[in-house]
Amino acid sequence: MSAAADEALLSLAGLADPYPVYAKLREETPIFRSEVFGGWVLSRFADCRPVLADGETFLVLDAQWRDRHRPGWRDNPAMALLADLLPWKNPPEHTRERRLLMRDFTVRRVQELEPAVRRATDRVLDRFADATADGSAAEFVGTVLYPLGMAVIGDLVGVPEADHDRLRRVTDLIGKQVDPAMPVDLRAEVDAAAVEFRAYFTDLIARRRAEPRDDLTSALLARPTAGAELMSADEVLNSLVVLFGGGYETTAGALGNGVHALLTHPEQFALLAGDPGRAAGAADEILRWDGPAQMSQRAAVRPAVLDGVEIPAGDVLVVLIGAANRDPARFADPDRFDITRDAGRGLFFGHGLHLCLGAALARLEMTVLLQQLGKRFPTLRIEGAVERRRNPALRGMAALPLTR
């Protein structure tokens, strides 16, 4: 049975719709040992949520774990970059760094970004309107989604617009590192991108030390009050890398999936266009129904039992977030896309210690764009071939041609 399940997992990279595979796993092999992923694969909400919640038994695969189980991993610059970041750290380092980062990356700072988010949204939608004024189609991902995400996170962190295209290229490559089935022939290119990404933010920090500005980089470098604890230089660097890389890539992925979902469910887009106040609920349903983050990994530090299955200490668990968010035991009629649904607490932003740092900012960007799409382009439609990224861990659109 596990061999058949592994064969299904191998097919995910080439599938436009992985959810039938997830449903089959939930029904037939909800917990199984995968040779493909090198660990236990979980697909039910009732199993996934407790693993993400238990930060004492199930830890992220941090540097210490990799030193014990994957010797030589430090020779891989992309993995070395990721292992330094907050999502790949456990307490006490995680607790300290998250506390210091959240001292400056506050809900209030995100709320203060709303006018800038609205201006950036209007700007990219004006560009889309111009490109489609003659009735032709424009590629929505490149014209709207990535420029919007880059503008918002760039404004927050302090990255100038002239550097956006360069950083999109390197973050796209680094994102392939989280694909469990990444082709070996991409390794050198992904590693080179990681080196370039780290070097860019090292230089940005040096510039802000010399000449502070009103941005998060400068705030993280400054001492807020006399005697207050400061982040180390490496901690500031790693915070910027994770905020910038995660801050636009996953939001662009969510919006691409979401706009596609709305336009392939025209009655739902009509609801949104008729009542833009539904945008916040639509954002949550998009994240549940087809979110960008499809899976996460943990390692058991002690023996555990999940639904009668014994998980030995040291084993890896692959949590299929996309499958859990379509679990009929948790969500009624889960394959129905319904922006009026009360999605409740899905796992689209993770859960527990590693709840997504940028959840509030992602929701803000999604809500504003969805509001404006419904208002400005009520007859929006797909016009041409849609292309999805071939990364089963980080789901999103590569091409989404739209017209109005």
Side-chain angles (χ1 to χ4, degrees), residues 222-263:
R223 188 183 300 275
T225 57
E229 190 176 6
L230 280 173
M231 280 185 161
S232 69
D234 282 345
E235 289 169 343
V236 172
L237 171 64
N238 295 334
S239 295
L240 295 179
V241 168
V242 74
L243 285 174
F244 191 88
Y248 93 92
E249 180 69 42
T250 53
T251 303
L255 280 167
N257 294 346
V259 172
H260 182 263
L262 286 163
L263 298 183

Side-chain angles (χ1 to χ4, degrees), residues 103-233:
R103 183 177 62 191
D104 292 298
F105 185 45
T106 60
V107 172
R108 179 179 177 182
R109 185 181 283 271
V110 171
Q111 291 171 340
E112 290 172 349
L113 282 172
E114 182 170 349
V117 172
R118 292 194 176 278
R119 288 193 299 271
T121 300
D122 287 341
R123 190 164 61 248
V124 295
L125 290 182
D126 286 347
R127 190 179 307 156
F128 174 76
D130 291 342
T132 55
D134 61 356
S136 62
E139 204 290 292
F140 199 71
V141 176
T143 304
V144 173
L145 300 185
Y146 279 108
L148 173 61
M150 278 285 188
V152 172
I153 200 66
D155 186 57
L156 173 69
V157 170
V159 171
E161 186 175 355
D163 295 337
H164 288 182
D165 287 345
R166 171 190 175 189
L167 292 178
R168 178 185 172 184
R169 175 183 60 80
V170 296
T171 51
D172 282 353
L173 284 167
I174 295 167
K176 298 181 187 301
Q177 176 64 46
V178 300
D179 180 353
M182 185 187 79
V184 175
D185 59 3
L186 280 179
R187 166 59 54 217
E189 197 174 358
V190 170
D191 283 344
V195 172
E196 182 178 349
F197 202 46
R198 184 182 289 276
Y200 178 88
F201 283 99
T202 299
D203 180 65
L204 178 66
I205 288 170
R207 284 184 276 139
R208 289 300 183 269
R209 283 194 191 280
E211 193 176 328
R213 297 186 183 178
D214 184 19
D215 56 36
L216 186 60
T217 301
S218 301
L220 292 175
L221 292 168
R223 188 183 300 275
T225 57
E229 190 176 6
L230 280 173
M231 280 185 161
S232 69

Side-chain angles (χ1 to χ4, degrees), residues 49-62:
R49 186 179 183 277
V51 168
L52 296 178
D54 187 349
E56 295 183 355
T57 303
F58 303 106
L59 304 187
V60 297
L61 279 54
D62 62 9

Side-chain angles (χ1 to χ4, degrees), residues 65-402:
W65 184 92
R66 293 177 186 280
D67 285 338
R68 290 194 300 273
H69 297 279
R70 296 181 181 170
W73 72 273
R74 292 179 184 273
D75 296 331
N76 172 350
M79 193 62 249
L81 174 74
L82 294 181
D84 277 340
L85 306 183
L86 199 56
W88 283 271
K89 289 188 176 180
N90 291 300
E93 293 86 0
H94 177 274
T95 306
R96 176 182 179 277
E97 289 185 31
R98 185 170 180 122
R99 172 175 53 81
L100 292 177
L101 176 56
M102 297 306 289
R103 183 177 62 191
D104 292 298
F105 185 45
T106 60
V107 172
R108 179 179 177 182
R109 185 181 283 271
V110 171
Q111 291 171 340
E112 290 172 349
L113 282 172
E114 182 170 349
V117 172
R118 292 194 176 278
R119 288 193 299 271
T121 300
D122 287 341
R123 190 164 61 248
V124 295
L125 290 182
D126 286 347
R127 190 179 307 156
F128 174 76
D130 291 342
T132 55
D134 61 356
S136 62
E139 204 290 292
F140 199 71
V141 176
T143 304
V144 173
L145 300 185
Y146 279 108
L148 173 61
M150 278 285 188
V152 172
I153 200 66
D155 186 57
L156 173 69
V157 170
V159 171
E161 186 175 355
D163 295 337
H164 288 182
D165 287 345
R166 171 190 175 189
L167 292 178
R168 178 185 172 184
R169 175 183 60 80
V170 296
T171 51
D172 282 353
L173 284 167
I174 295 167
K176 298 181 187 301
Q177 176 64 46
V178 300
D179 180 353
M182 185 187 79
V184 175
D185 59 3
L186 280 179
R187 166 59 54 217
E189 197 174 358
V190 170
D191 283 344
V195 172
E196 182 178 349
F197 202 46
R198 184 182 289 276
Y200 178 88
F201 283 99
T202 299
D203 180 65
L204 178 66
I205 288 170
R207 284 184 276 139
R208 289 300 183 269
R209 283 194 191 280
E211 193 176 328
R213 297 186 183 178
D214 184 19
D215 56 36
L216 186 60
T217 301
S218 301
L220 292 175
L221 292 168
R223 188 183 300 275
T225 57
E229 190 176 6
L230 280 173
M231 280 185 161
S232 69
D234 282 345
E235 289 169 343
V236 172
L237 171 64
N238 295 334
S239 295
L240 295 179
V241 168
V242 74
L243 285 174
F244 191 88
Y248 93 92
E249 180 69 42
T250 53
T251 303
L255 280 167
N257 294 346
V259 172
H260 182 263
L262 286 163
L263 298 183
T264 52
H265 296 79
E267 77 289 352
Q268 297 298 307
F269 187 59
L271 279 175
L272 176 66
D275 182 6
R278 295 187 184 275
D284 278 352
E285 176 67 348
I286 286 165
L287 289 163
R288 181 202 69 82
W289 195 76
D290 196 17
Q294 291 283 302
M295 56 187 72
S296 186
Q297 289 182 312
R298 296 292 187 272
V301 296
R302 54 187 176 226
V305 177
L306 292 174
D307 194 32
V309 177
E310 295 183 2
I311 309 295
D315 275 17
V316 172
L317 299 95
V318 179
V319 178
L320 294 180
I321 294 170
N325 284 335
R326 292 276 194 110
D327 188 341
R330 173 65 181 82
F331 301 100
D333 196 7
D335 292 325
R336 178 171 53 89
F337 179 63
D338 179 6
I339 66 170
T340 68
R341 179 195 301 269
D342 179 3
R345 290 196 172 274
L347 300 179
F348 35 80
F349 285 124
H351 188 68
L353 291 175
H354 291 275
L355 187 70
C356 177
L357 282 166
L361 182 57
R363 275 198 170 100
L364 173 61
E365 287 182 60
M366 292 182 71
T367 299
V368 170
L369 180 69
L370 293 173
Q371 286 173 344
Q372 293 303 98
L373 272 185
K375 286 180 182 178
R376 295 184 59 173
F377 307 112
T379 58
L380 192 68
R381 66 187 187 277
I382 298 170
E383 186 69 36
V386 170
E387 181 184 348
R388 286 191 179 271
R389 293 185 307 205
R390 295 177 63 86
N391 185 340
L394 196 58
R395 187 166 161 81
M397 292 288 171
L400 183 60
L402 305 182

